[in-house]
Amino acid sequence: METWINEAWDYAQNKLSRTRGRIGATFPNATYGGQYDARDPDCWTNGFWPGILWLAYRATGDEEYRRIAESCEEQLDAPLQEYEQLHHDNGFLWSLSAVADYKLTGNRLSRRRGLIAASHLASRFNLKGSFIRAWLHEGSEGLAIIDCMMNLGLLYWASGELQDPRYRHIAVAHSEMALREFIREDGSVHHIVRFDPETGERIEALGGQGYSPDSAWSRGSAWAIYGFAIGYRYTGDIRFMNAARAAADYFAAQLPEDLVPPWDFRAPADQLWAKDSTAAACAASGMLEMAYLLEGEEAERYRKLGAAITESLFRHYAPEDPAEEALITKGTGSFPANAEVEVPIIYGDYFFLEALLKLKGESEIFW
């Protein structure tokens, strides 16, 4: 094992053992002045902090991580029961909290939470167009987004738990739609595709958090890499691995020298300064997932690339200020909305830590 991996793990473990006390059972999203904020329980990013805690608990056995993660999970009962605030991101929320808890501790209440979340996610499937509807706002009835590929693991898991293929059928149908409508020939991806919710007819692609409908939002590429790899893990469908390959190869071909992408690979030159370390971290973990699922030289190629990206994040994007709570800096949430541009973001930390633990030999994932 490369020396830097242990150095990076020690760095992450030492920081988490310090920051967990102040952050506690809250829901951090981004840091301001070196400290993570706290979001309402229905924010889509609220699974990532408990996910980090469960990763740390699995690696160390430290019961304090478990205690805080369990408290976060209990608070997520509010949006789970209210229903009106639920959306396409149930996987982000409950795969990394309740499902992780169940996988590690056998907690039956956590299993129940995960199954409820999966049922709500499945209910968003539109038979016309074969897509899981994104968001909640008026006008979103026909929208699907590439991000949702990361939520499908919750459905695959639920099918396995219940020995009921219906959830898996929905996940596969949505993935097949994404193969047709989101993945371009060069391996880049759309962020949003709009369908007619009555007929299922494809209407248009939208730019979303990318620069334009025809651009290449880097985190969208990362969602595709990892999301399709998860689909292959559960189904063995080679089409999904081929999609992960295409997205990963496109992503890799566009990377700058430090292996951390701009927020959109096809943004105008005067906007390429804005990095997105969250895209790098997610893509790295996705490529390491591919390496676990593949064999031979191809597996080693993706492992090396995932490791190189993770090492660059550690060496160049770990904050210089030791008081900064985040593990890595310069994530970009939404450049078009001028929201969270080049700031530390919790899902960047999650995927960075997940990638590190994969490099240390951990093969089981919470997704």
Side-chain angles (χ1 to χ4, degrees):
M1 182 184 299
E2 296 96 327
T3 302
W4 74 266
I5 297 174
N6 287 327
E7 292 175 356
W9 167 241
D10 289 343
Y11 154 75
Q13 185 179 5
N14 290 337
K15 177 163 285 194
L16 290 171
S17 66
R18 173 175 61 83
T19 59
R20 68 184 183 183
R22 195 206 66 79
I23 297 172
T26 64
F27 296 108
N29 178 70
T31 74
Y32 300 91
Q35 287 192 342
Y36 266 114
D37 60 359
R39 296 297 177 97
D40 292 334
D42 58 1
C43 181
W44 78 272
T45 63
N46 286 354
F48 289 105
W49 176 237
I52 287 171
L53 296 168
W54 284 120
L55 287 174
Y57 171 73
R58 184 174 64 185
T60 66
D62 188 330
E63 290 292 327
E64 183 64 8
Y65 289 119
R66 175 176 176 171
R67 184 193 68 77
I68 300 170
E70 288 174 338
S71 181
C72 290
E73 181 184 336
E74 290 169 1
Q75 293 179 66
L76 291 176
D77 281 349
L80 187 62
Q81 298 303 323
E82 287 174 0
Y83 178 75
E84 288 85 359
Q85 297 301 315
L86 297 179
H87 40 72
H88 60 274
D89 282 327
N90 284 11
F92 281 121
L93 285 159
W94 281 280
S95 288
L96 302 183
S97 57
V99 175
D101 187 346
Y102 174 63
K103 287 182 175 180
L104 293 177
T105 73
N107 185 336
R108 300 295 290 183
L109 181 56
S110 296
R111 177 181 184 270
R112 184 182 185 189
R113 287 168 173 140
L115 292 173
I116 292 171
S119 295
H120 287 316
L121 180 60
S123 75
R124 301 183 66 81
F125 184 71
N126 188 328
L127 186 62
K128 299 290 188 179
S130 296
F131 66 93
I132 294 173
R133 173 191 170 179
W135 297 305
L136 295 165
H137 59 270
E138 183 178 353
S140 68
E141 297 83 3
L143 299 183
I145 57 175
I146 194 63
D147 318 41
C148 198
M149 292 302 302
M150 293 297 298
N151 292 300
L152 301 183
L154 181 65
L155 299 180
Y156 290 120
W157 168 81
S159 268
E161 282 297 308
L162 298 173
Q163 295 301 298
D164 184 338
R166 292 176 300 162
Y167 299 95
R168 185 181 74 249
H169 291 329
I170 289 172
V172 168
H174 182 93
S175 299
E176 291 174 335
M177 175 280 300
L179 285 174
R180 294 190 307 269
E181 307 294 354
F182 280 85
I183 305 293
R184 304 186 185 106
E185 288 188 10
D186 65 357
S188 63
V189 300
H190 296 293
H191 181 199
I192 305 172
V193 173
R194 184 193 302 278
F195 299 89
D196 184 321
E198 290 289 348
T199 68
E201 179 184 0
R202 185 185 196 274
I203 297 173
E204 61 182 341
L206 301 171
Q209 289 171 268
Y211 174 72
S212 74
D214 298 319
S215 66
W217 177 46
S218 59
R219 195 163 68 251
S221 291
W223 295 146
I225 294 166
Y226 203 166
F228 277 107
I230 291 169
Y232 180 78
R233 174 189 270 258
Y234 281 103
T235 68
D237 190 326
I238 193 62
R239 297 175 300 167
F240 299 158
M241 179 53 76
N242 287 340
R245 285 184 178 108
D249 292 347
Y250 175 82
F251 189 95
Q254 313 306 313
L255 288 175
E257 185 176 355
D258 70 355
L259 303 181
V260 174
W263 67 282
D264 191 309
F265 292 118
R266 295 178 183 150
D270 63 353
Q271 296 181 10
L272 291 174
W273 59 269
K275 293 279 195 173
D276 187 8
S277 61
T278 74
C282 179
S285 193
M287 290 175 189
L288 293 171
E289 183 67 16
M290 294 172 66
Y292 170 75
L293 298 168
L294 294 168
E295 297 178 348
E297 293 182 2
E298 187 179 31
E300 182 61 15
R301 179 165 67 88
Y302 287 118
R303 193 205 72 81
K304 285 184 176 179
L305 182 55
I309 295 171
T310 307
E311 182 178 8
S312 182
L313 287 170
F314 170 55
R315 297 198 183 282
H316 305 299
Y317 289 80
E320 295 181 2
D321 183 354
E324 167 64 57
E325 291 183 336
L327 298 178
I328 59 172
T329 61
K330 295 190 177 181
T332 294
S334 176
F335 190 92
N338 195 30
E340 297 154 2
V341 176
E342 283 211 333
V343 300
I345 301 176
I346 194 65
Y347 42 90
D349 282 6
Y350 174 84
F351 288 113
F352 172 71
L353 187 65
E354 188 183 65
L356 272 181
L357 290 174
K358 287 179 179 179
L359 290 167
K360 285 178 64 64
E362 182 59 59
S363 62
E364 183 63 28
I365 58 174
F366 297 148
W367 301 101

